[in-house]
Amino acid sequence: MRRRPEAASGRAEAQGAPPGREQVETVILALAAARGAEKSFCPSEAARLLSAAHAGAAPWRALTPLVQEAGAALASQGRLSVLQRGAPVDPAAARGPIRYAAPRALGSGEQAS
């Protein structure tokens, strides 16, 4: 029963490896595609899916920063829209809740973020 420190250090191996950046981006883009440009989703939804898919390698809240970093990168590439109160926002400047959506076609008065 004295193996507790070893068990704690091998925790990720026992529960599965945490997702990589490519996997995170794939999940975000799949959620965005499933919803389309008219519907958005919370980054926590992607984090929850990733946590479940990786056998709880990390609690979903611990994956949120990774999801946010990947979301910001996808937005900078024009592959994802980051929204706040329904309007496009720069993820680096956003304070408070944000949502993700498939990129909207520009031309309806929107500016690229």
Side-chain angles (χ1 to χ4, degrees), residues 15-37:
Q15 293 181 342
R21 175 72 169 264
E22 187 174 313
Q23 293 169 315
V24 174
E25 289 180 357
T26 299
V27 167
I28 292 171
L29 292 173
L31 284 169
R35 300 277 165 72

Side-chain angles (χ1 to χ4, degrees), residues 43 68 72 75 81-100 113:
Q68 290 172 336
S81 290
V82 179
L83 309 171
Q84 193 166 46
R85 295 185 190 113
V89 66
D90 176 4
R95 297 291 174 254
I98 59 171
R99 295 186 66 81
Y100 295 153
S113 52

Side-chain angles (χ1 to χ4, degrees), residues 7-102:
S9 66
R11 186 174 178 192
E13 290 178 21
Q15 293 181 342
R21 175 72 169 264
E22 187 174 313
Q23 293 169 315
V24 174
E25 289 180 357
T26 299
V27 167
I28 292 171
L29 292 173
L31 284 169
R35 300 277 165 72
E38 299 303 315
K39 295 193 177 189
S40 63
F41 63 97
C42 182
S44 68
E45 189 173 340
R48 290 172 201 262
L49 284 173
L50 288 161
S51 180
H54 289 271
W60 71 266
R61 289 182 195 268
L63 295 174
T64 300
L66 183 60
V67 170
Q68 290 172 336
E69 289 170 13
L74 290 168
S76 72
Q77 298 166 12
R79 299 170 64 195
L80 185 71
S81 290
V82 179
L83 309 171
Q84 193 166 46
R85 295 185 190 113
V89 66
D90 176 4
R95 297 291 174 254
I98 59 171
R99 295 186 66 81
Y100 295 153

